[in-house]
Amino acid sequence: MDTKQDLLSFDLADRLVLQLDQALHTLIPGSSTASRHSPALAADDAELSDSERQQAAALMRINHTGEVCAQALYQGQSLTARLPDVRASMDHAAREEVDHLAWCESRLQDLDSRTSLLNPVWYAMSFGMGAAAGLVGDKWSLGFVGETERQVCDHLEDHLDRLPANDQKSRAVLTQMIVDERTHGDAAMAAGGAELPLPVKAGMKLMAGVMKTLTYRI
């Protein structure tokens, strides 16, 4: 059963069970399957030094955690969104984000590394934030998506600069992720998303900074 497609046809209690199923698929390594081939497959492989491999792995671990948080945000918003079309929009975006999740996990395996041990914590926090945004109202929920994706694009572009110069596989993954994230953000704002207050944007950026700092090593 495609849990994301079927969410809209169930009542709240049933959707909570399906959300739990989706959380397990997001958090258990190897459970996410991409619908598109990883951009890394078309990129040239290169020999990386131990320090370059560690740097690339740390950055890709952060990006994987970012996709865990994205899944949680979209699932939380989908659960509490008032309008069916907004719920459907959240579910569609979450399906596309699964590709990013799988691509980052695959790249971490290639780099002989692992996902963050803190992912369950970040998932729970992000799910709560998404659900709260949905309760406030659909225009704010969509605005939250728009701002989240804008900040994600900013940090992905920063990671492109920080990757080892010859790590073309990780670079290919991040480049496609930027294209997708920007599309999701633009779509959310075009659907009626409201511009968030500056203090909210600052708080989101601060929390993301804490997450990135801890996930870099843990």
mmCIF file of all heavy atoms in Angstrom, residues 54-96:
data_model
loop_
_atom_site.group_PDB
_atom_site.id
_atom_site.type_symbol
_atom_site.label_atom_id
_atom_site.label_comp_id
_atom_site.label_asym_id
_atom_site.label_seq_id
_atom_site.Cartn_x
_atom_site.Cartn_y
_atom_site.Cartn_z
ATOM 1 N N GLN A 54 36.177 12.003 4.654
ATOM 2 C CA GLN A 54 35.529 12.349 5.916
ATOM 3 C C GLN A 54 34.741 13.656 5.787
ATOM 4 O O GLN A 54 33.629 13.759 6.317
ATOM 5 C CB GLN A 54 36.580 12.470 7.016
ATOM 6 C CG GLN A 54 37.186 11.141 7.432
ATOM 7 C CD GLN A 54 38.350 11.303 8.396
ATOM 8 O OE1 GLN A 54 38.640 12.410 8.859
ATOM 9 N NE2 GLN A 54 39.032 10.207 8.703
ATOM 10 N N GLN A 55 35.299 14.629 5.079
ATOM 11 C CA GLN A 55 34.601 15.897 4.877
ATOM 12 C C GLN A 55 33.339 15.702 4.045
ATOM 13 O O GLN A 55 32.264 16.198 4.392
ATOM 14 C CB GLN A 55 35.529 16.900 4.190
ATOM 15 C CG GLN A 55 34.861 18.203 3.730
ATOM 16 C CD GLN A 55 34.467 19.117 4.867
ATOM 17 O OE1 GLN A 55 34.558 18.768 6.040
ATOM 18 N NE2 GLN A 55 34.025 20.326 4.525
ATOM 19 N N ALA A 56 33.463 14.962 2.952
ATOM 20 C CA ALA A 56 32.299 14.708 2.101
ATOM 21 C C ALA A 56 31.220 13.947 2.859
ATOM 22 O O ALA A 56 30.024 14.256 2.758
ATOM 23 C CB ALA A 56 32.723 13.936 0.851
ATOM 24 N N ALA A 57 31.637 12.948 3.656
ATOM 25 C CA ALA A 57 30.673 12.149 4.411
ATOM 26 C C ALA A 57 29.949 12.988 5.455
ATOM 27 O O ALA A 57 28.732 12.851 5.646
ATOM 28 C CB ALA A 57 31.383 10.965 5.079
ATOM 29 N N ALA A 58 30.687 13.859 6.135
ATOM 30 C CA ALA A 58 30.060 14.704 7.156
ATOM 31 C C ALA A 58 29.010 15.614 6.530
ATOM 32 O O ALA A 58 27.913 15.801 7.082
ATOM 33 C CB ALA A 58 31.125 15.530 7.869
ATOM 34 N N LEU A 59 29.334 16.185 5.369
ATOM 35 C CA LEU A 59 28.374 17.067 4.689
ATOM 36 C C LEU A 59 27.166 16.287 4.181
ATOM 37 O O LEU A 59 26.020 16.738 4.310
ATOM 38 C CB LEU A 59 29.059 17.790 3.531
ATOM 39 C CG LEU A 59 30.175 18.770 3.926
ATOM 40 C CD1 LEU A 59 30.834 19.356 2.676
ATOM 41 C CD2 LEU A 59 29.630 19.895 4.805
ATOM 42 N N MET A 60 27.392 15.109 3.627
ATOM 43 C CA MET A 60 26.274 14.315 3.128
ATOM 44 C C MET A 60 25.429 13.768 4.265
ATOM 45 O O MET A 60 24.219 13.565 4.102
ATOM 46 C CB MET A 60 26.787 13.169 2.249
ATOM 47 C CG MET A 60 27.440 13.637 0.945
ATOM 48 S SD MET A 60 26.394 14.776 -0.019
ATOM 49 C CE MET A 60 25.061 13.677 -0.517
ATOM 50 N N ARG A 61 26.030 13.555 5.431
ATOM 51 C CA ARG A 61 25.251 13.146 6.609
ATOM 52 C C ARG A 61 24.296 14.268 7.018
ATOM 53 O O ARG A 61 23.129 14.029 7.353
ATOM 54 C CB ARG A 61 26.179 12.783 7.763
ATOM 55 C CG ARG A 61 25.426 12.305 9.002
ATOM 56 C CD ARG A 61 26.300 11.546 9.974
ATOM 57 N NE ARG A 61 27.538 12.230 10.276
ATOM 58 C CZ ARG A 61 28.732 11.796 9.864
ATOM 59 N NH1 ARG A 61 28.842 10.714 9.128
ATOM 60 N NH2 ARG A 61 29.827 12.467 10.188
ATOM 61 N N ILE A 62 24.784 15.503 6.982
ATOM 62 C CA ILE A 62 23.920 16.653 7.269
ATOM 63 C C ILE A 62 22.785 16.717 6.266
ATOM 64 O O ILE A 62 21.614 16.939 6.633
ATOM 65 C CB ILE A 62 24.733 17.957 7.252
ATOM 66 C CG1 ILE A 62 25.699 18.012 8.437
ATOM 67 C CG2 ILE A 62 23.799 19.171 7.284
ATOM 68 C CD1 ILE A 62 26.669 19.178 8.379
ATOM 69 N N ASN A 63 23.099 16.514 4.987
ATOM 70 C CA ASN A 63 22.067 16.604 3.961
ATOM 71 C C ASN A 63 21.047 15.473 4.086
ATOM 72 O O ASN A 63 19.857 15.677 3.835
ATOM 73 C CB ASN A 63 22.722 16.590 2.572
ATOM 74 C CG ASN A 63 23.572 17.828 2.336
ATOM 75 O OD1 ASN A 63 23.199 18.922 2.729
ATOM 76 N ND2 ASN A 63 24.737 17.647 1.736
ATOM 77 N N HIS A 64 21.507 14.290 4.477
ATOM 78 C CA HIS A 64 20.570 13.193 4.718
ATOM 79 C C HIS A 64 19.634 13.538 5.869
ATOM 80 O O HIS A 64 18.421 13.345 5.789
ATOM 81 C CB HIS A 64 21.337 11.908 5.030
ATOM 82 C CG HIS A 64 20.452 10.745 5.340
ATOM 83 N ND1 HIS A 64 20.024 10.448 6.626
ATOM 84 C CD2 HIS A 64 19.877 9.808 4.537
ATOM 85 C CE1 HIS A 64 19.247 9.384 6.597
ATOM 86 N NE2 HIS A 64 19.139 8.972 5.347
ATOM 87 N N THR A 65 20.195 14.080 6.948
ATOM 88 C CA THR A 65 19.363 14.479 8.083
ATOM 89 C C THR A 65 18.377 15.567 7.675
ATOM 90 O O THR A 65 17.225 15.576 8.126
ATOM 91 C CB THR A 65 20.250 14.971 9.246
ATOM 92 O OG1 THR A 65 20.976 13.857 9.775
ATOM 93 C CG2 THR A 65 19.415 15.585 10.365
ATOM 94 N N GLY A 66 18.817 16.481 6.807
ATOM 95 C CA GLY A 66 17.901 17.496 6.307
ATOM 96 C C GLY A 66 16.709 16.887 5.598
ATOM 97 O O GLY A 66 15.576 17.381 5.722
ATOM 98 N N GLU A 67 16.944 15.790 4.884
ATOM 99 C CA GLU A 67 15.839 15.123 4.191
ATOM 100 C C GLU A 67 14.958 14.348 5.164
ATOM 101 O O GLU A 67 13.746 14.227 4.952
ATOM 102 C CB GLU A 67 16.393 14.196 3.106
ATOM 103 C CG GLU A 67 17.118 14.927 1.996
ATOM 104 C CD GLU A 67 16.277 16.047 1.385
ATOM 105 O OE1 GLU A 67 15.064 15.821 1.164
ATOM 106 O OE2 GLU A 67 16.826 17.130 1.134
ATOM 107 N N VAL A 68 15.542 13.823 6.236
ATOM 108 C CA VAL A 68 14.733 13.219 7.303
ATOM 109 C C VAL A 68 13.795 14.276 7.887
ATOM 110 O O VAL A 68 12.597 14.024 8.098
ATOM 111 C CB VAL A 68 15.648 12.634 8.407
ATOM 112 C CG1 VAL A 68 14.827 12.264 9.649
ATOM 113 C CG2 VAL A 68 16.397 11.414 7.893
ATOM 114 N N CYS A 69 14.352 15.461 8.144
ATOM 115 C CA CYS A 69 13.538 16.551 8.687
ATOM 116 C C CYS A 69 12.458 16.980 7.693
ATOM 117 O O CYS A 69 11.324 17.288 8.092
ATOM 118 C CB CYS A 69 14.429 17.749 9.027
ATOM 119 S SG CYS A 69 15.560 17.460 10.400
ATOM 120 N N ALA A 70 12.800 16.982 6.402
ATOM 121 C CA ALA A 70 11.817 17.367 5.384
ATOM 122 C C ALA A 70 10.645 16.392 5.375
ATOM 123 O O ALA A 70 9.476 16.787 5.295
ATOM 124 C CB ALA A 70 12.481 17.416 4.006
ATOM 125 N N GLN A 71 10.961 15.089 5.457
ATOM 126 C CA GLN A 71 9.889 14.098 5.523
ATOM 127 C C GLN A 71 8.981 14.355 6.724
ATOM 128 O O GLN A 71 7.756 14.314 6.615
ATOM 129 C CB GLN A 71 10.489 12.693 5.622
ATOM 130 C CG GLN A 71 11.074 12.169 4.340
ATOM 131 C CD GLN A 71 10.018 11.923 3.287
ATOM 132 O OE1 GLN A 71 9.023 11.240 3.531
ATOM 133 N NE2 GLN A 71 10.213 12.488 2.118
ATOM 134 N N ALA A 72 9.595 14.614 7.865
ATOM 135 C CA ALA A 72 8.821 14.841 9.080
ATOM 136 C C ALA A 72 7.973 16.106 8.978
ATOM 137 O O ALA A 72 6.799 16.115 9.382
ATOM 138 C CB ALA A 72 9.763 14.937 10.276
ATOM 139 N N LEU A 73 8.554 17.175 8.447
ATOM 140 C CA LEU A 73 7.804 18.425 8.285
ATOM 141 C C LEU A 73 6.588 18.225 7.396
ATOM 142 O O LEU A 73 5.468 18.637 7.736
ATOM 143 C CB LEU A 73 8.707 19.497 7.683
ATOM 144 C CG LEU A 73 9.726 20.146 8.620
ATOM 145 C CD1 LEU A 73 10.733 20.969 7.813
ATOM 146 C CD2 LEU A 73 9.035 21.021 9.655
ATOM 147 N N TYR A 74 6.792 17.596 6.259
ATOM 148 C CA TYR A 74 5.685 17.393 5.325
ATOM 149 C C TYR A 74 4.633 16.456 5.912
ATOM 150 O O TYR A 74 3.424 16.662 5.713
ATOM 151 C CB TYR A 74 6.204 16.830 3.999
ATOM 152 C CG TYR A 74 6.833 17.872 3.100
ATOM 153 C CD1 TYR A 74 8.136 17.739 2.641
ATOM 154 C CD2 TYR A 74 6.111 18.995 2.701
ATOM 155 C CE1 TYR A 74 8.713 18.691 1.818
ATOM 156 C CE2 TYR A 74 6.679 19.949 1.875
ATOM 157 C CZ TYR A 74 7.981 19.794 1.438
ATOM 158 O OH TYR A 74 8.541 20.737 0.615
ATOM 159 N N GLN A 75 5.065 15.432 6.623
ATOM 160 C CA GLN A 75 4.093 14.520 7.222
ATOM 161 C C GLN A 75 3.278 15.211 8.314
ATOM 162 O O GLN A 75 2.068 15.011 8.426
ATOM 163 C CB GLN A 75 4.818 13.290 7.791
ATOM 164 C CG GLN A 75 5.457 12.398 6.745
ATOM 165 C CD GLN A 75 4.454 11.848 5.753
ATOM 166 O OE1 GLN A 75 3.337 11.492 6.121
ATOM 167 N NE2 GLN A 75 4.847 11.773 4.501
ATOM 168 N N GLY A 76 3.956 16.017 9.126
ATOM 169 C CA GLY A 76 3.239 16.750 10.159
ATOM 170 C C GLY A 76 2.244 17.737 9.576
ATOM 171 O O GLY A 76 1.107 17.855 10.058
ATOM 172 N N GLN A 77 2.662 18.437 8.536
ATOM 173 C CA GLN A 77 1.763 19.404 7.899
ATOM 174 C C GLN A 77 0.601 18.710 7.212
ATOM 175 O O GLN A 77 -0.533 19.196 7.236
ATOM 176 C CB GLN A 77 2.563 20.249 6.913
ATOM 177 C CG GLN A 77 3.499 21.238 7.591
ATOM 178 C CD GLN A 77 4.453 21.892 6.611
ATOM 179 O OE1 GLN A 77 5.171 21.215 5.888
ATOM 180 N NE2 GLN A 77 4.453 23.198 6.571
ATOM 181 N N SER A 78 0.885 17.591 6.567
ATOM 182 C CA SER A 78 -0.174 16.841 5.898
ATOM 183 C C SER A 78 -1.231 16.375 6.894
ATOM 184 O O SER A 78 -2.424 16.344 6.598
ATOM 185 C CB SER A 78 0.427 15.635 5.174
ATOM 186 O OG SER A 78 -0.572 14.794 4.655
ATOM 187 N N LEU A 79 -0.789 16.027 8.105
ATOM 188 C CA LEU A 79 -1.716 15.522 9.125
ATOM 189 C C LEU A 79 -2.694 16.592 9.577
ATOM 190 O O LEU A 79 -3.865 16.300 9.856
ATOM 191 C CB LEU A 79 -0.920 15.001 10.323
ATOM 192 C CG LEU A 79 -1.715 14.330 11.443
ATOM 193 C CD1 LEU A 79 -2.282 12.999 10.963
ATOM 194 C CD2 LEU A 79 -0.825 14.118 12.665
ATOM 195 N N THR A 80 -2.248 17.840 9.667
ATOM 196 C CA THR A 80 -3.082 18.889 10.257
ATOM 197 C C THR A 80 -3.611 19.917 9.252
ATOM 198 O O THR A 80 -4.375 20.797 9.636
ATOM 199 C CB THR A 80 -2.294 19.640 11.343
ATOM 200 O OG1 THR A 80 -1.095 20.189 10.762
ATOM 201 C CG2 THR A 80 -1.910 18.705 12.478
ATOM 202 N N ALA A 81 -3.182 19.817 7.984
ATOM 203 C CA ALA A 81 -3.664 20.778 6.983
ATOM 204 C C ALA A 81 -5.180 20.687 6.851
ATOM 205 O O ALA A 81 -5.765 19.599 6.868
ATOM 206 C CB ALA A 81 -2.999 20.510 5.641
ATOM 207 N N ARG A 82 -5.829 21.851 6.712
ATOM 208 C CA ARG A 82 -7.288 21.898 6.676
ATOM 209 C C ARG A 82 -7.853 21.585 5.286
ATOM 210 O O ARG A 82 -8.888 20.946 5.155
ATOM 211 C CB ARG A 82 -7.771 23.288 7.126
ATOM 212 C CG ARG A 82 -7.499 23.584 8.596
ATOM 213 C CD ARG A 82 -7.895 25.010 8.946
ATOM 214 N NE ARG A 82 -7.769 25.290 10.371
ATOM 215 C CZ ARG A 82 -6.649 25.622 10.978
ATOM 216 N NH1 ARG A 82 -5.537 25.712 10.261
ATOM 217 N NH2 ARG A 82 -6.614 25.860 12.266
ATOM 218 N N LEU A 83 -7.197 22.068 4.247
ATOM 219 C CA LEU A 83 -7.724 21.908 2.895
ATOM 220 C C LEU A 83 -7.158 20.654 2.241
ATOM 221 O O LEU A 83 -5.948 20.431 2.265
ATOM 222 C CB LEU A 83 -7.387 23.132 2.036
ATOM 223 C CG LEU A 83 -7.958 24.463 2.547
ATOM 224 C CD1 LEU A 83 -7.487 25.603 1.659
ATOM 225 C CD2 LEU A 83 -9.481 24.416 2.595
ATOM 226 N N PRO A 84 -8.023 19.827 1.628
ATOM 227 C CA PRO A 84 -7.542 18.591 0.995
ATOM 228 C C PRO A 84 -6.460 18.824 -0.051
ATOM 229 O O PRO A 84 -5.529 18.027 -0.173
ATOM 230 C CB PRO A 84 -8.818 18.006 0.367
ATOM 231 C CG PRO A 84 -9.926 18.547 1.203
ATOM 232 C CD PRO A 84 -9.486 19.944 1.585
ATOM 233 N N ASP A 85 -6.579 19.917 -0.830
ATOM 234 C CA ASP A 85 -5.574 20.141 -1.868
ATOM 235 C C ASP A 85 -4.219 20.485 -1.271
ATOM 236 O O ASP A 85 -3.169 20.173 -1.841
ATOM 237 C CB ASP A 85 -6.022 21.229 -2.847
ATOM 238 C CG ASP A 85 -6.325 22.553 -2.164
ATOM 239 O OD1 ASP A 85 -6.565 22.550 -0.946
ATOM 240 O OD2 ASP A 85 -6.325 23.587 -2.856
ATOM 241 N N VAL A 86 -4.219 21.127 -0.093
ATOM 242 C CA VAL A 86 -2.951 21.412 0.586
ATOM 243 C C VAL A 86 -2.345 20.115 1.097
ATOM 244 O O VAL A 86 -1.135 19.886 0.978
ATOM 245 C CB VAL A 86 -3.155 22.413 1.736
ATOM 246 C CG1 VAL A 86 -1.857 22.587 2.525
ATOM 247 C CG2 VAL A 86 -3.616 23.754 1.192
ATOM 248 N N ARG A 87 -3.186 19.234 1.673
ATOM 249 C CA ARG A 87 -2.687 17.932 2.111
ATOM 250 C C ARG A 87 -2.063 17.177 0.940
ATOM 251 O O ARG A 87 -0.997 16.575 1.046
ATOM 252 C CB ARG A 87 -3.841 17.102 2.682
ATOM 253 C CG ARG A 87 -4.089 17.328 4.153
ATOM 254 C CD ARG A 87 -5.028 16.246 4.682
ATOM 255 N NE ARG A 87 -5.776 16.782 5.805
ATOM 256 C CZ ARG A 87 -7.038 16.500 6.059
ATOM 257 N NH1 ARG A 87 -7.710 15.713 5.251
ATOM 258 N NH2 ARG A 87 -7.631 16.999 7.109
ATOM 259 N N ALA A 88 -2.756 17.201 -0.191
ATOM 260 C CA ALA A 88 -2.244 16.496 -1.371
ATOM 261 C C ALA A 88 -0.918 17.087 -1.822
ATOM 262 O O ALA A 88 -0.006 16.360 -2.242
ATOM 263 C CB ALA A 88 -3.267 16.571 -2.500
ATOM 264 N N SER A 89 -0.786 18.407 -1.745
ATOM 265 C CA SER A 89 0.456 19.071 -2.129
ATOM 266 C C SER A 89 1.604 18.637 -1.222
ATOM 267 O O SER A 89 2.724 18.379 -1.675
ATOM 268 C CB SER A 89 0.275 20.589 -2.067
ATOM 269 O OG SER A 89 1.493 21.254 -2.319
ATOM 270 N N MET A 90 1.339 18.553 0.100
ATOM 271 C CA MET A 90 2.363 18.120 1.044
ATOM 272 C C MET A 90 2.785 16.683 0.752
ATOM 273 O O MET A 90 3.969 16.350 0.783
ATOM 274 C CB MET A 90 1.844 18.222 2.476
ATOM 275 C CG MET A 90 1.479 19.631 2.933
ATOM 276 S SD MET A 90 2.900 20.751 2.886
ATOM 277 C CE MET A 90 2.081 22.284 3.369
ATOM 278 N N ASP A 91 1.823 15.818 0.473
ATOM 279 C CA ASP A 91 2.137 14.423 0.205
ATOM 280 C C ASP A 91 2.961 14.281 -1.076
ATOM 281 O O ASP A 91 3.894 13.478 -1.147
ATOM 282 C CB ASP A 91 0.852 13.598 0.082
ATOM 283 C CG ASP A 91 0.142 13.428 1.415
ATOM 284 O OD1 ASP A 91 0.820 13.515 2.451
ATOM 285 O OD2 ASP A 91 -1.081 13.223 1.413
ATOM 286 N N HIS A 92 2.630 15.084 -2.103
ATOM 287 C CA HIS A 92 3.375 15.028 -3.360
ATOM 288 C C HIS A 92 4.821 15.465 -3.147
ATOM 289 O O HIS A 92 5.766 14.818 -3.640
ATOM 290 C CB HIS A 92 2.703 15.923 -4.398
ATOM 291 C CG HIS A 92 3.465 16.024 -5.690
ATOM 292 N ND1 HIS A 92 3.527 14.987 -6.587
ATOM 293 C CD2 HIS A 92 4.225 17.027 -6.209
ATOM 294 C CE1 HIS A 92 4.278 15.343 -7.615
ATOM 295 N NE2 HIS A 92 4.712 16.570 -7.416
ATOM 296 N N ALA A 93 5.015 16.558 -2.420
ATOM 297 C CA ALA A 93 6.374 17.039 -2.155
ATOM 298 C C ALA A 93 7.161 16.018 -1.356
ATOM 299 O O ALA A 93 8.345 15.776 -1.611
ATOM 300 C CB ALA A 93 6.320 18.377 -1.420
ATOM 301 N N ALA A 94 6.512 15.392 -0.366
ATOM 302 C CA ALA A 94 7.190 14.384 0.455
ATOM 303 C C ALA A 94 7.638 13.200 -0.396
ATOM 304 O O ALA A 94 8.722 12.641 -0.167
ATOM 305 C CB ALA A 94 6.267 13.915 1.578
ATOM 306 N N ARG A 95 6.834 12.797 -1.379
ATOM 307 C CA ARG A 95 7.223 11.686 -2.245
ATOM 308 C C ARG A 95 8.494 12.019 -3.018
ATOM 309 O O ARG A 95 9.376 11.172 -3.182
ATOM 310 C CB ARG A 95 6.083 11.338 -3.216
ATOM 311 C CG ARG A 95 4.943 10.570 -2.567
ATOM 312 C CD ARG A 95 4.042 9.941 -3.610
ATOM 313 N NE ARG A 95 3.372 10.914 -4.452
ATOM 314 C CZ ARG A 95 2.226 11.500 -4.148
ATOM 315 N NH1 ARG A 95 1.646 11.234 -2.987
ATOM 316 N NH2 ARG A 95 1.660 12.350 -4.981
ATOM 317 N N GLU A 96 8.591 13.262 -3.504
ATOM 318 C CA GLU A 96 9.789 13.655 -4.236
ATOM 319 C C GLU A 96 11.003 13.742 -3.312
ATOM 320 O O GLU A 96 12.129 13.444 -3.727
ATOM 321 C CB GLU A 96 9.555 14.995 -4.938
ATOM 322 C CG GLU A 96 8.547 14.910 -6.078
ATOM 323 C CD GLU A 96 8.489 16.169 -6.909
ATOM 324 O OE1 GLU A 96 8.965 17.219 -6.436
ATOM 325 O OE2 GLU A 96 7.985 16.092 -8.040
#
